[in-house]
Amino acid sequence: MSSARVALRPRAAKRPAAGIAPRTFYRYFASKEEAVAPLYAAGAQRWAEAVREAPPELTPPEALEHAVRQTLTPGVGISSASWEWVRTLIRLASASPALGKVWAEVCHASEGALGEVLRERAARTAAGLDNVAEPAGSDGSARSAGPDESAGSAGSTGPAGSADSTHLAEPTPRQRFVAAVAGAAVRVAVESWSTTDSPPHGPGGPAELALRNLEAVRGMEWREPD
C-alpha cells in the first residue's frame, strides 16, 4: 500500500521504473500475489502503527485523524512520487480478481489490527495512565481498571498498561465496529483517489478525502454500553 518503496527495498536491483505496464511489473515476481501482497500489508501496518503512536492525550477520533496525516500526506508518510506507485497498486487490485482478493484480505486484517490498537489506547485511558508502573506483584486492586483492561491486568507482575497486559484482552464489539468504519474511511479514500489523475496532495488527495470520511466517526458514541 503506502510503503511500496520500503517494501520493495530488498529487491531494489530488480525494481522496475515507475509507470511501467503491469505485465512488465509482474515479470519481477513469481506471481501477482507475491508482487503486491507485501506492499498492501506494509501500508496497512503503517496506518495501525501511526494510530498506536499518536499522542496519548488525543481522543480516538483525533488519533485516527493524526494517523491519516502521518501516513497519507505526501512528504510526511511517503513522497509524492511514491504515491504514483500506490495509485498503480490499487488500480491493479481493481483490475485483477486475484489481487482484489489479496487487497480485501489485507484490509480485513488491518481492521483487526486497528481494533487491537484502539483497545490498547482505551485500556490506558481507563487506567488513567500511560506507561506508569505499578508495584511488582500487584493484582490491579489498588486502582480501578476499565472493563477493556481487566482481562489483561489480573495476575500481572509487570508495569500496568505494558505490552504483556494490553495484548491479552480482545477488542470490544464497539471497538471492532469503529475500526471497521475507520478502515473503510481510509480504504475508500485511497481507492477513490486511485481512479482519478489527481495529485496526491490537495483537496483531491487521499489524506483530505480520508479526513472528510472520518468526520462520520466523530459523531459516534465511544463509551461502552453498561
Side-chain angles (χ1 to χ4, degrees), residues 24-224:
T24 304
F25 177 79
Y26 293 142
R27 289 177 185 170
Y28 293 84
F29 302 90
S31 67
K32 295 179 181 180
E33 291 81 358
E34 179 192 348
V36 301
L39 310 184
Y40 293 153
Q45 182 178 5
R46 287 189 70 248
W47 152 245
E49 287 302 314
V51 178
R52 174 180 282 114
E53 296 169 3
E57 66 272 14
L58 297 183
T59 65
E62 291 170 345
L64 292 170
E65 293 172 3
H66 172 86
V68 163
R69 294 187 178 95
Q70 292 298 308
T71 57
L72 302 187
T73 301
V76 178
I78 59 173
S79 67
S80 296
S82 294
W83 269 108
E84 294 306 320
W85 273 89
V86 177
R87 195 195 313 260
T88 298
L89 291 171
I90 304 303
R91 286 179 175 178
L92 292 176
S94 300
S96 166
L99 296 183
K101 182 175 182 292
V102 173
W103 171 242
E105 291 173 349
V106 167
C107 290
H108 181 71
S110 177
E111 290 177 11
L114 182 57
E116 171 62 21
V117 169
L118 294 175
R119 191 203 65 75
E120 291 176 13
R121 292 182 64 92
R124 291 193 174 107
T125 299
L129 52 82
D130 185 70
N131 295 325
V132 177
E134 280 187 335
S138 171
D139 63 359
S141 59
R143 60 183 175 84
S144 177
D148 294 337
E149 159 182 66
S150 58
S153 61
S156 173
T157 59
S162 68
D164 289 339
S165 62
T166 56
H167 282 81
L168 292 179
E170 291 290 329
T172 66
R174 188 178 299 280
Q175 289 163 351
R176 293 178 187 274
F177 176 69
V178 171
V181 172
V186 173
R187 175 181 57 78
V188 170
V190 174
E191 289 176 346
S192 298
W193 169 77
S194 73
T195 65
T196 72
D197 293 323
S198 299
H201 50 76
E208 290 300 321
L209 293 176
L211 289 172
R212 288 201 292 271
N213 290 347
L214 282 175
E215 290 178 3
V217 180
R218 278 193 170 273
M220 295 181 64
E221 175 58 64
W222 286 88
R223 293 177 302 176
E224 295 295 330

